[in-house]
Amino acid sequence: MDKEKNTELQPYKKGMLAVRDSARKLPDSMSDLVCRKLIRAACEYRKRAYTPYSGFQVGAALLTAQNEIIGGCNIENAAYTPTNCAERTAFFKAVSEGKKDFLAIAIVGGKEEKTEEYCAPCGVCRQVMAEFCDPATFLVILARSEEDYMVYTLEELLPFSFSGKNLQ
Ligand code: THU
């Protein structure tokens, strides 16, 4: 396996992180306590997932710059393509309430009630995040539980992204 590459992608883990060569602490804007609170909220919203087709239930909790938490779940549809991911549900709820400054999002998901895997956001959701967030500072928390999570910057998950800046 590509060991070198693996090391490069070492995420924040349990409050501490090693990215590339240097150990990196969680940024001041984000404490372990806040991560846990967001994960707890994501787990609650996950219970509302509407997933009659995939049975894959996802919950997301978005933290605004005003320290509010906006949650979301995935909502499926018989025609499949109208399905909305949990992350986008949270973003669209927030933006429609006039909130556009975000610090972080926690994501919890898996088949039925399981959380054996970390649920990484799909490409479309990463692009939606890039529309509203600074990729260098916005944090994406992938959690299996409150004690077991990884934190990435959006830039790490969506490098060299296309944004409104490209259209100026
Ligand atoms: N899903 C999410 O809600 N978020 C993700 O990050 C990945 C996928 C949903 C969409 C669909 O309802 C189900 O999971 C299976 O793809």
Side-chain angles (χ1 to χ4, degrees):
M1 244 282 283
D2 196 341
K3 215 175 163 200
E4 185 74 21
K5 203 173 177 191
N6 243 355
T7 322
E8 274 207 2
L9 288 178
Q10 272 288 321
Y12 285 104
K13 192 145 195 184
K14 294 177 185 166
M16 282 292 285
L17 151 88
V19 174
R20 298 184 181 99
D21 309 324
S22 59
R24 194 168 85 177
K25 277 190 184 170
L26 278 169
D28 291 342
S29 60
M30 186 55 54
S31 65
D32 177 59
L33 208 72
V34 175
C35 285
R36 283 163 176 265
K37 201 172 159 190
L38 282 176
I39 294 164
R40 218 174 305 136
C43 289
E44 281 306 304
Y45 276 91
R46 186 184 179 204
K47 292 176 188 162
R48 298 186 181 149
Y50 176 74
T51 60
Y53 307 107
S54 75
F56 194 91
Q57 301 168 337
V58 187
L62 182 60
L63 181 67
T64 71
Q66 290 73 40
N67 271 322
E68 289 165 290
I69 296 176
I70 316 273
C73 61
N74 53 332
I75 304 167
E76 297 187 345
N77 189 283
Y80 292 6
T81 51
T83 292
N84 209 52
C85 290
E87 299 89 322
R88 272 177 290 147
T89 302
F91 266 88
F92 296 159
K93 276 176 65 185
V95 174
S96 64
E97 294 296 331
K99 288 149 195 164
K100 283 202 289 273
D101 296 321
F102 307 111
L103 302 176
I105 190 167
I107 306 163
V108 181
K111 206 60 178 153
E112 313 304 341
E113 262 133 64
K114 293 190 196 114
T115 37
E116 283 155 13
E117 306 291 334
Y118 299 104
C119 179
C122 78
V124 174
C125 288
R126 293 177 201 203
Q127 184 63 29
V128 168
M129 292 174 197
E131 183 67 28
F132 296 103
C133 309
D134 176 357
T137 59
F138 183 72
L139 300 175
V140 182
I141 303 160
L142 310 181
R144 297 201 295 193
S145 71
E146 277 184 56
E147 292 77 38
D148 183 353
Y149 62 86
M150 312 191 293
V151 184
Y152 293 91
T153 63
L154 177 57
E155 200 168 45
E156 286 165 337
L157 299 183
L158 188 67
F160 200 43
S161 61
F162 185 85
S163 74
K165 283 191 195 135
N166 296 92
L167 299 176
Q168 281 165 9

